[in-house]
Amino acid sequence: MNSVSSSSLDYRRASRHFQRENTVIETRGIVIGGDKIVVMAGPCSVESSCQINELALFIKSTKASVLRGGAFKPRSSPYSFRGLGEEGLKMLAQAREMTGLPIVTEVMSPDQVPLVAAYSDILQIGARNMQNFPLLCAVGATQKIVLLKRGMGNTIKELLMAAEYILDAGNTQVMLCERGIRTFETMTRHTFDINAIPVLKDLTHLPVIADPSHAIGNAQYVSSIARAAIAAGADGILVEVHMNPSMALSDGDQSLAPEAFCLLMRDVEKIAHAIDRPL
Ligand code: PEP
Ligand code: MN
């Protein structure tokens, strides 16, 4: 571990110097940040009741344990599908009722926090909002679990300081997510920063999750990056899955079809065993 520096004082509550033991988070019997690798999976966006229910039943039939799905979608173009809003949250809650799977979904602004918190188990802060400080303070004022994604143009230290805002506001249930950063490379959507996994595990006690889907942006390569992230020490993965990716309303190119997801789960289990971490 690095020695205490004035730099780590900027993220003191998140730092391993201030808490040596891993933060372990629990929701509906699912433990995140413990020995077990956690797989969170689901569509980029909730599209309909039928879509999310069918997918939730499929996810439930695998060893994945958290259902993801966006109802409020940050889209680069205002003309792209921006999510079903509260209707989408209701559909997610219904899918949870049916399967028992806890749900993770994005909250985009401070005024949305009470609404999204009322339906979800884990509040996702997206890459584009990593330094939305009023939003960090607003989720920090709740006792909801937060999945904080690294901004595509942000350093590891900036991610830790963003987490610090949430911790400093009184919410200790925070996990971090590496989802790819912007580099000069254009063959892939972003560049997955594999370095971030061991570095974060060293610098902070907070659970570290990898999102290979948004990092690479192409379903063909998602599993390779997911496997690498687990081998590198991630506590879990967040993966986009769709029953029919070519029909997805967002991020279809990077969404795994059910068969590909099953193959990934088989590989994840093998790698987890190889590093003494059950699935
Ligand atoms: C998402 O999870 O669908 C998403 C928009 O992620 P990110 O914020 O990492 O782009
Ligand atoms: Mn997406």
Side-chain angles (χ1 to χ4, degrees):
M1 195 193 301
N2 298 333
S3 59
V4 181
S5 60
S6 58
S7 170
S8 69
L9 289 173
D10 292 335
Y11 52 89
R12 62 199 70 183
R13 293 178 197 279
S15 166
R16 279 237 189 246
H17 293 301
F18 292 81
Q19 181 185 313
R20 225 166 55 82
E21 320 74 53
N22 289 331
T23 285
V24 176
I25 294 172
E26 209 213 300
T27 175
R28 296 181 191 268
I30 305 302
V31 176
I32 304 165
D35 287 344
K36 274 191 168 184
I37 302 286
V38 175
V39 178
M40 309 181 194
C44 179
S45 301
V46 179
E47 299 170 1
S48 68
S49 210
C50 188
Q51 173 241 17
I52 195 68
N53 288 344
E54 188 183 11
L55 200 52
L57 286 172
F58 164 68
I59 300 294
K60 178 73 179 176
S61 74
T62 69
K63 286 193 174 173
S65 51
V66 177
L67 178 66
R68 68 146 284 150
F72 291 100
K73 297 300 302 175
R75 302 307 304 276
S76 300
S77 166
Y79 308 122
S80 301
F81 177 64
R82 290 198 263 171
L84 298 178
E86 185 171 3
E87 281 312 302
L89 295 176
K90 286 182 184 162
M91 292 170 192
L92 276 172
Q94 192 186 38
R96 172 180 59 206
E97 207 161 298
M98 203 172 62
T99 58
L101 294 170
I103 54 187
V104 54
T105 194
E106 179 157 356
V107 57
M108 293 207 301
S109 61
D111 60 295
Q112 277 175 2
V113 170
L115 178 73
V116 181
Y119 288 100
S120 66
D121 301 292
I122 304 173
L123 297 172
Q124 175 173 321
I125 296 194
R128 292 157 190 80
N129 264 322
M130 189 203 86
Q131 284 185 316
N132 179 338
F133 299 113
L135 180 58
L136 299 175
C137 293
V139 300
T142 72
Q143 288 305 310
K144 277 280 173 184
I145 302 167
V146 179
L147 182 148
L148 175 64
K149 288 192 165 197
R150 179 181 180 183
M152 57 198 84
N154 289 108
T155 63
I156 292 172
K157 185 180 175 193
E158 285 165 344
L159 172 61
L160 290 166
M161 292 189 293
E164 192 74 11
Y165 268 86
I166 305 171
L167 300 173
D168 186 54
N171 186 349
T172 57
Q173 304 202 86
V174 182
M175 62 188 117
L176 307 177
C177 180
E178 164 59 37
R179 49 77 72 209
I181 53 176
R182 193 158 266 175
T183 66
F184 54 78
E185 185 52 70
T186 56
M187 284 292 184
T188 55
R189 187 173 177 187
H190 293 97
T191 297
F192 186 78
D193 182 8
I194 192 84
N195 299 354
I197 306 293
V199 171
L200 284 169
K201 289 302 294 177
D202 177 38
L203 295 178
T204 180
H205 49 85
L206 300 173
V208 176
I209 306 297
D211 173 349
S213 308
H214 291 88
I216 202 146
N218 181 334
Q220 194 186 337
Y221 309 129
V222 164
S223 297
S224 304
I225 302 308
R227 294 193 298 251
I230 290 164
D235 295 301
I237 51 175
L238 179 70
V239 184
E240 286 186 339
V241 183
H242 198 283
M243 297 308 282
N244 189 353
S246 65
M247 298 297 285
L249 296 183
S250 60
D251 285 350
D253 290 350
Q254 66 200 31
S255 298
L256 296 185
E259 310 77 57
F261 183 68
C262 287
L263 290 176
L264 171 62
M265 290 304 289
R266 187 200 58 188
D267 290 353
V268 162
E269 191 159 19
K270 283 191 201 154
I271 294 169
H273 282 142
I275 55 170
D276 291 328
R277 294 188 75 172
L279 184 64

